[in-house]
């Protein structure tokens, strides 16, 4: 049990569910493989329970806590994290950083707002799922990965320059809203002088 506890608390990215719109259980199942800490906003609790997912922490205002106190027993050992003014994301990230989680998958956060998260990247690694894409930040100016043939989005402040280096060509992209590029199978390197995010379509089996 101690090894499981170590994985849950330290290594496996936590799972923060703010919205399930556009997602099915099958999209989340791979993220549950190693029993991550599961944190859920109050509006999504019933949906997540219906999927059979065990919740660890519920982000809830005082009214929800009072009206759903039975969840503490039904989902034991679930805990409430008190939230005011619907500050679910902020409260969740504060908790996860304080409990020394190294990473979190954020489900249902609008990708247009990922730039507001960048001050958190010093403390915790973030992957944002905004159906049907998942977004991850490139913090150190360069990212290299083997891609299959696909379409990816490069998400950065308007006017940012990102260099895309494939095996047979280099291209400079000036980012505008929803900049998608078509990628051929092979090793791809992306470079910029500031933080940018890469959006990949979530695979559907």
């Amino acid at each position: 049990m101690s090894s499981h506890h170590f994985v849950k608390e330290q290594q496996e990215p936590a799972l923060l569910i703010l919205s399930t719109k556009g997602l099915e259980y099958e999209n989340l199942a791979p993220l549950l493989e190693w029993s991550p800490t599961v944190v859920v906003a109050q509006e999504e609790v019933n949906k997540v329970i219906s999927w059979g997912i065990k919740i660890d922490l519920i982000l809830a205002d005082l009214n929800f806590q009072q009206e759903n106190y039975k969840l503490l027993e039904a989902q034991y050992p679930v805990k409430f994290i008190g939230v005011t003014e619907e500050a679910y994301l902020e409260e969740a990230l504060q908790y996860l950083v304080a409990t020394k989680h190294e990473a979190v998958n954020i489900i249902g956060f609008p990708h247009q707002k990922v730039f507001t998260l960048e001050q958190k990247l010093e403390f915790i690694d973030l992957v944002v799922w905004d159906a049907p894409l998942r977004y991850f930040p490139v913090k150190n100016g360069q990212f290299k990965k083997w891609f299959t043939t696909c379409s990816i989005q490069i998400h950065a402040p308007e006017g940012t320059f990102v260099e895309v280096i494939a095996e047979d060509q280099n291209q400079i992209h000036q980012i505008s809203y929803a900049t998608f590029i078509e990628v051929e199978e092979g090793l791809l390197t992306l470079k910029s002088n500031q933080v940018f995010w890469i959006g990949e379509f979530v695979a559907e089996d």
Side-chain angles (χ1 to χ4, degrees), residues 27-201:
N27 300 127
L28 299 183
L31 302 179
L32 297 163
E33 184 176 354
W34 293 101
S35 301
T37 298
V38 177
V39 187
V40 182
Q42 62 185 42
E43 289 88 350
E44 299 297 337
V45 166
N46 290 337
K47 180 72 170 181
V48 172
I49 290 174
S50 77
W51 283 343
I53 297 173
K54 182 71 180 67
I55 300 172
D56 295 293
L57 298 145
I58 297 172
L59 300 156
D61 59 32
L62 188 58
N63 285 341
F64 183 94
Q65 293 181 44
Q66 292 172 340
E67 292 171 4
N68 295 274
Y69 195 75
K70 62 183 183 297
L71 285 171
L72 295 178
E73 183 176 347
Q75 287 282 304
Y76 181 83
V78 72
K79 298 176 183 177
F80 287 126
I81 298 179
V83 173
T84 57
E85 299 180 356
E86 299 188 354
Y88 302 121
L89 179 69
E90 185 64 29
E91 293 291 346
L93 292 181
Q94 284 185 10
Y95 174 87
L96 293 171
V97 170
T99 51
K100 295 182 167 44
H101 284 77
E102 296 179 359
V104 58
N105 286 292
I106 303 174
I107 310 299
F109 183 78
H111 71 274
Q112 296 91 341
K113 296 182 179 181
V114 293
F115 309 129
T116 66
L117 303 176
E118 289 177 2
Q119 70 271 26
K120 305 291 186 186
L121 296 175
E122 180 182 350
F123 307 104
I124 190 167
D125 290 329
L126 307 174
V127 177
V128 171
W129 296 60
D130 184 11
L133 287 91
R134 61 171 169 250
Y135 296 82
F136 56 90
V138 178
K139 299 182 288 184
N140 302 315
Q142 179 172 313
F143 177 78
K144 186 179 293 186
K145 179 183 174 181
W146 182 277
F147 284 91
T148 58
T149 300
C150 64
S151 178
I152 63 172
Q153 183 181 2
I154 305 175
H155 191 47
E158 196 90 7
T160 299
F161 288 97
V162 177
E163 183 178 8
V164 180
I165 305 167
E167 294 178 355
D168 57 349
Q169 63 177 340
N170 291 17
Q171 292 182 322
I172 301 289
H173 293 266
Q174 185 173 13
I175 304 306
S176 58
Y177 177 74
T179 298
F180 282 88
I181 62 171
E182 300 303 316
V183 174
E184 299 293 329
E185 182 172 5
L187 188 64
L188 198 69
T189 302
L190 298 99
K191 295 182 178 180
S192 182
N193 61 3
Q194 59 182 296
V195 174
F196 62 99
W197 297 71
I198 297 175
E200 295 181 302
F201 285 94

